[in-house]
Amino acid sequence: DENRINRALLTRNVVDSVDYMYDNFMKTKGMRKFDPQVARDSLDERGNIIIAKPQPDAIHYICRQWNCSPSQVIMVGDSDKDDIVAGNRAGCGATVHLKTGIDNDSGNGGESDTFERKPTLEISTLSELQLILEEHHSPTMAT
């Protein structure tokens, strides 16, 4: 937060759940809200539901909001079949797989090629990513 890096949230949860999480956990810790927050029931500029990951639509929506190209964005996620595939399909500058030890795939991703599931980097904690970003600061990041 102190580096003011842009952060978006892209989740399979619904908007109400995202708002609840922010109001009851993040806000109380002084964390700023993710902007934008894209949930499975979020609407785009035309009022249409934003197509869920692993399709790249939500990342493209975030890039439009930030006025940047996907190549300037780092997609961080815990699912290689959803998050990493979406980031690679969108053309993100990097994809980072947070290895939690839990299979967090939606099961709705359909078929993806092995190369689409390959991240740029694998990490075990977000602290690892924070250290890397501090060393090589980039102006935009999506999670």
Side-chain angles (χ1 to χ4, degrees):
D1 273 345
E2 62 272 2
N3 291 327
R4 305 302 296 172
I5 295 173
N6 289 335
R7 297 175 308 142
L9 178 69
L10 175 52
T11 181
R12 290 188 307 264
N13 288 305
V14 295
V15 170
D16 286 345
S17 295
V18 172
D19 289 341
Y20 180 87
M21 186 174 139
Y22 174 74
D23 290 340
N24 292 281
F25 300 103
M26 296 174 64
K27 189 176 186 179
T28 61
K29 297 190 183 325
M31 295 176 70
R32 67 184 166 96
K33 205 171 199 176
F34 290 98
D35 185 28
Q37 298 181 143
V38 181
R40 70 174 178 228
D41 57 347
S42 293
L43 304 177
D44 66 13
E45 306 90 341
R46 295 183 205 142
N48 299 314
I49 295 273
I50 299 170
I51 298 172
K53 52 190 178 179
Q55 298 309 317
D57 302 59
I59 296 172
H60 291 156
Y61 171 80
I62 291 166
C63 290
R64 288 193 304 276
Q65 301 306 302
W66 288 348
N67 195 30
C68 71
S69 78
S71 66
Q72 297 173 288
V73 171
I74 300 170
M75 174 60 173
V76 180
D78 60 358
S79 166
D80 63 340
K81 292 180 184 171
D82 293 323
D83 302 320
I84 302 307
V85 170
N88 286 331
R89 287 179 178 174
C92 288
T95 54
V96 178
H97 188 199
L98 177 60
K99 303 274 288 179
T100 61
I102 299 170
D103 181 3
N104 197 22
D105 296 326
S106 67
N108 294 324
E111 293 299 315
S112 57
D113 293 326
T114 303
F115 74 90
E116 285 187 306
R117 295 191 306 263
K118 183 166 177 47
T120 308
L121 176 67
E122 288 187 322
I123 57 174
S124 298
T125 67
L126 289 175
S127 299
E128 292 176 59
L129 180 59
Q130 183 177 356
L131 291 172
I132 292 167
L133 289 174
E134 287 172 357
E135 290 175 15
H136 312 335
H137 180 63
S138 177
T140 56
M141 179 174 83
T143 62

